[in-house]
């Protein structure tokens, strides 16, 4: 548009469009969904790490004891302290109950946040955050499975 | 009647508002791509790209405070979202054929002065403006928000120390 009138027209039509309150609402929902998705990922990591930590600790405990057996095979046969260490696992049971308590608190929070994140992320149809939706869905499935398996093994 | 088809893609986190000749147009999804269809009898149209700055909303302060609290002082907040950079992008497209395809590759906003998008197509495209610029209102609000977050963090740490030392 070379003439003067054309320039005026070009300027008026190129004026930016003001976002509506619906735009801001959708953006807010997506933002909140992403925050909740981050929290749920951390929740799942905490769940899984505590889940494995329990068994790792038990494994490490018995590994050290077996190491002790190998090194001091003679002592284990005659020392009552070593024999007691094999039979007394109060520490392990205390730790396991603490971890299971933590899992039963973190688990539902993780499931709740991932469900909420999924709902909020699905509101925005234009900016479909596919990666985030996939993360949240995976976190939801894994946390439900972890909670169910832990409940089955624990009770 | 002529049809303009704009394919919008790129690395930007949120799709901007696109208006053609001052009228806002909606995105449509075609094979997983975000496409805009615009029918007109004119021989040339002006396309404008506007970024939605969340911090410019009416309820920005309580909203961002809520985000800060939920995300535990921003630990779980999303990163790399430059809240105060706005788009200044508009271009004219000549509609020569009955169907005109153009592609808009939106860049990730990092600093002021960088181009907003790369516009390509088999038609005449005249760029009027294509640059990121600082939205002063948004920047002022971002600074206020950072100060508030710092104050919140300081208050949180003070409460924690008092609680641990048995003052409460």
């Amino acid at each position: 548009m070379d003439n003067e009138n054309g320039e005026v027209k070009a300027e008026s039509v190129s004026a930016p469009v003001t976002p509506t309150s619906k735009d801001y609402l959708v953006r807010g929902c997506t933002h909140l969904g992403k925050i909740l998705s981050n929290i749920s990922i951390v929740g799942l990591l905490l769940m899984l790490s505590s889940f494995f930590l329990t068994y790792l600790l038990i494994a490490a405990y018995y590994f050290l004891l077996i190491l002790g057996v190998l090194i001091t095979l003679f002592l284990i046969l005659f020392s009552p302290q070593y024999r007691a260490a094999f039979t007394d696992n109060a520490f392990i049971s205390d730790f396991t109950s603490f971890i299971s308590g933590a899992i039963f608190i973190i688990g539902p929070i993780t499931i709740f946040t991932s469900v909420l994140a999924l709902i909020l992320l699905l509101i925005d149809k234009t900016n479909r955050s596919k990666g985030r939706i996939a993360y949240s869905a995976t976190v939801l499935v894994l946390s439900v499975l972890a909670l169910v398996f832990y409940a089955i093994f624990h009770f | 009647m002529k049809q303009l088809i704009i394919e919008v893609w790129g690395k930007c986190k949120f799709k901007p508002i696109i208006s053609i000749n001052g009228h806002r147009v909606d995105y449509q999804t075609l094979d997983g791509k975000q496409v805009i269809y615009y029918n007109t009898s004119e021989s040339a149209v002006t396309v404008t790209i506007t970024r939605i700055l969340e911090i410019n909303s009416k309820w920005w302060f309580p909203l961002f405070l809520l985000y800060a609290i939920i995300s535990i002082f921003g630990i779980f907040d999303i990163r790399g979202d430059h809240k105060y950079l706005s788009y200044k992008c508009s271009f004219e497209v000549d509609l020569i054929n009955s169907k005109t395809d153009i592609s808009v590759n939106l860049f990730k906003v990092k600093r002021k002065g960088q181009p907003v998008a790369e516009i390509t197509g088999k038609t005449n495209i005249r760029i009027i403006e294509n640059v990121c610029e600082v939205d002063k209102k948004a920047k002022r609000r971002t600074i206020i928000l950072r100060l508030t977050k710092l104050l919140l963090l300081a208050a949180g740490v003070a409460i924690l120390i008092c609680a641990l030392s048995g003052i409460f």
Side-chain angles (χ1 to χ4, degrees):
Chain A
M1 295 189 184
D2 297 320
N3 59 18
E4 200 183 323
N5 294 332
E7 287 292 332
V8 171
K9 191 188 171 191
E11 273 184 22
S12 65
V13 292
S14 68
V17 175
T18 320
T20 58
S21 51
K22 193 192 164 193
D23 291 320
Y24 288 126
L25 185 73
V26 171
R27 275 292 301 269
C29 286
T30 315
H31 194 149
L32 207 59
K34 286 186 176 182
I35 292 171
L36 291 173
S37 166
N38 286 346
I39 293 170
S40 67
I41 290 166
V42 173
L44 179 72
L45 287 175
L46 271 174
M47 263 179 83
L48 293 179
S49 59
S50 47
F51 189 70
F52 289 116
L53 201 66
T54 315
Y55 296 105
L56 270 176
L57 193 86
I58 293 166
Y61 180 74
Y62 282 107
F63 175 74
L64 285 173
L65 283 181
I66 289 162
L67 210 67
V69 171
L70 291 172
I71 294 164
T72 57
L73 190 64
F74 181 76
L75 277 174
I76 198 106
L77 293 169
F78 297 101
S79 166
Q81 286 94 335
Y82 274 97
R83 239 175 280 147
F86 267 111
T87 50
D88 176 40
N89 51 12
F91 165 69
I92 292 291
S93 65
D94 282 354
F95 187 78
T96 313
S97 61
F98 169 73
I99 290 288
S100 68
I103 282 180
F104 290 125
I105 294 164
I106 297 166
I109 292 170
T110 309
I111 292 166
F112 176 72
T113 49
S114 57
V115 167
L116 207 62
L118 265 176
I119 293 166
L120 289 169
L121 289 169
L122 285 169
I123 286 174
D124 192 0
K125 290 187 177 86
T126 313
N127 305 299
R128 235 344 121 70
S129 317
K130 286 174 193 164
R132 284 284 174 171
I133 292 168
Y135 279 147
S136 293
T138 314
V139 165
L140 180 64
V141 172
L142 285 176
S143 52
V144 168
L145 282 175
L147 204 64
V148 168
F149 275 110
Y150 197 79
I152 289 167
F153 286 121
H154 190 70
F155 297 115
Chain B
M1 197 65 116
K2 290 167 183 174
Q3 190 178 46
L4 173 68
I5 304 164
I6 308 173
E7 190 195 325
V8 185
W9 59 291
K11 285 183 178 175
C12 77
K13 278 184 180 173
F14 294 99
K15 293 275 182 305
I17 298 172
I18 292 188
S19 57
I20 301 173
N21 284 350
H23 302 290
R24 186 177 172 163
V25 281
D26 290 325
Y27 291 92
Q28 288 177 34
T29 309
L30 185 79
D31 300 330
K33 291 172 183 172
Q34 298 292 324
V35 185
I36 286 165
Y37 295 98
Y38 185 74
N39 296 315
T40 181
S41 55
E42 289 172 53
S43 58
V45 288
T46 306
V47 182
T48 312
I49 303 173
T50 316
R51 192 180 185 210
I52 305 169
L53 289 171
E54 209 181 347
I55 206 158
N56 279 349
S57 67
K58 199 178 171 184
W59 299 96
W60 68 279
F61 193 74
L63 201 68
F64 275 85
L65 214 59
L66 179 79
Y67 294 153
I69 293 163
I70 291 176
S71 65
I72 313 167
F73 305 114
I75 296 169
F76 297 110
D77 208 345
I78 47 175
R79 303 267 170 227
D81 185 19
H82 294 266
K83 296 178 185 79
Y84 53 83
L85 287 174
S86 65
Y87 291 169
K88 208 168 172 64
C89 180
S90 55
F91 52 93
E92 274 183 12
V93 182
D94 284 343
L95 305 175
I96 303 160
N97 304 318
S98 58
K99 257 187 184 181
T100 309
D101 287 279
I102 62 163
S103 171
V104 176
N105 175 15
L106 292 160
F107 300 130
K108 198 174 180 179
V109 174
K110 283 178 182 171
R111 61 186 186 280
K112 74 167 186 175
Q114 79 165 77
V116 172
E118 185 190 21
I119 303 121
T120 49
K122 288 174 184 171
T123 183
N124 294 330
I125 299 165
R126 287 180 295 280
I127 309 283
I128 299 168
E129 52 194 353
N130 183 17
V131 70
C132 277
E133 63 172 24
V134 174
D135 187 314
K136 283 178 184 169
K137 190 169 117 184
K139 193 171 184 180
R140 197 175 62 241
R141 287 181 174 184
T142 309
I143 293 165
I144 294 169
L145 211 63
R146 277 183 191 159
L147 286 172
T148 315
K149 271 186 192 175
L150 268 173
L151 279 173
L152 264 176
L153 189 67
V157 170
I159 289 168
L160 196 72
I161 290 167
C162 289
L164 288 174
S165 60
I167 290 174
F168 293 133

